[in-house]
Amino acid sequence: QQSELNSFLWTIKRDPPSYFFGTIHVPYTHVWDFVPENSKKAFQQSHIVYFELDLTDPYTISALTSCQLLPQGKNLQDVLPRDIYRRLKRHLEYVKLMMPSWMTPDQQGKGLYADYLFNAIAGNWERKRPVWVMLMMNSLTEVDIKSRGVPVLDLYLAQEAERLGKQTGAVEKVEEQCHPLNGLNFSQV
């Protein structure tokens, strides 16, 4: 029964109650049907909703993009071993070639073009730090491409909160997510 599923919802007993809900960064359509009613009800009844990051704030998106870049004057070719760089480049060429066949008719009907989508995901890849390229590569699969255009769960909930007139905020700043990832050394990545 859906009502008996682990909801990843914790209640902080106070008046009024507060809730803590664990999300995952995947298209919301992949998980929404499995989010139990108690979690959806808690969201509906809440007046204030805080997220990990404010994904509706243009500054957040801009700061996330900037933090992914290597220091000025550096390129990925400068920091990756030559064989890995070549394999990466060949794979990205393959993905770019395959992307039109991975897109859904619905995506194409909405005017989403494969070249635009590829550039939106992988554009400027040669300037990104290895950890961010790794994360980017994990999202360049046929399944993930077919889901593009569908917001991840966090963003969907933030958009719903705004639509419903809820007060929103974030518990972290971009730097709090960016610095730990950028601090990983090459062998950790």
Side-chain angles (χ1 to χ4, degrees), residues 134-154:
M134 178 193 69
L135 294 170
M136 175 194 78
M137 294 301 293
N138 287 336
S139 69
L140 284 172
T141 65
E142 183 174 359
V143 170
D144 282 350
I145 295 304
K146 288 183 184 307
S147 298
R148 283 296 167 146
V150 177
V152 293
L153 182 58
D154 294 29

Side-chain angles (χ1 to χ4, degrees), residues 17-176:
S18 290
Y19 303 98
F20 186 79
F21 179 66
T23 59
I24 184 169
H25 299 286
V26 298
Y28 85 95
T29 53
H30 290 188
V31 295
W32 191 247
D33 290 343
F34 303 100
V35 174
E37 288 306 315
N38 67 338
S39 299
K40 292 176 182 178
K41 185 178 176 185
F43 177 78
Q44 289 295 325
Q45 291 176 347
S46 296
H47 301 288
I48 305 170
V49 184
Y50 280 83
F51 298 94
E52 184 177 8
L53 291 173
D54 184 355
L55 297 177
T56 64
D57 179 11
Y59 168 78
T60 300
I61 303 308
S62 173
L64 273 172
T65 301
S66 295
C67 89
Q68 296 177 19
L69 299 178
L70 287 162
Q72 192 64 30
K74 287 268 189 194
N75 288 314
L76 199 56
Q77 190 171 5
D78 302 328
V79 297
L80 284 182
R82 182 181 226 140
D83 61 324
I84 292 177
Y85 178 82
R86 284 186 186 147
R87 285 176 45 210
L88 175 62
K89 190 170 182 172
R90 276 195 309 274
H91 184 70
L92 286 170
E93 289 166 358
Y94 164 78
V95 167
K96 189 171 186 172
L97 183 69
M98 295 303 296
M99 200 171 271
S101 68
W102 291 352
M103 294 182 66
T104 67
D106 186 50
Q107 287 170 319
Q108 293 166 349
K110 291 179 180 172
L112 201 55
Y113 295 98
D115 282 346
Y116 169 81
L117 189 55
F118 180 83
N119 286 330
I121 299 168
N124 211 17
W125 67 271
E126 293 185 83
R127 289 273 303 117
K128 290 185 178 183
R129 295 172 184 267
V131 67
W132 298 100
V133 172
M134 178 193 69
L135 294 170
M136 175 194 78
M137 294 301 293
N138 287 336
S139 69
L140 284 172
T141 65
E142 183 174 359
V143 170
D144 282 350
I145 295 304
K146 288 183 184 307
S147 298
R148 283 296 167 146
V150 177
V152 293
L153 182 58
D154 294 29
L155 179 56
Y156 170 75
L157 290 171
Q159 290 169 336
E160 276 297 290
E162 282 191 353
R163 186 182 70 77
L164 295 169
K166 297 176 184 296
Q167 182 181 333
T168 62
V171 295
E172 289 185 9
K173 293 181 172 58
V174 169
E175 298 76 22
E176 292 171 311

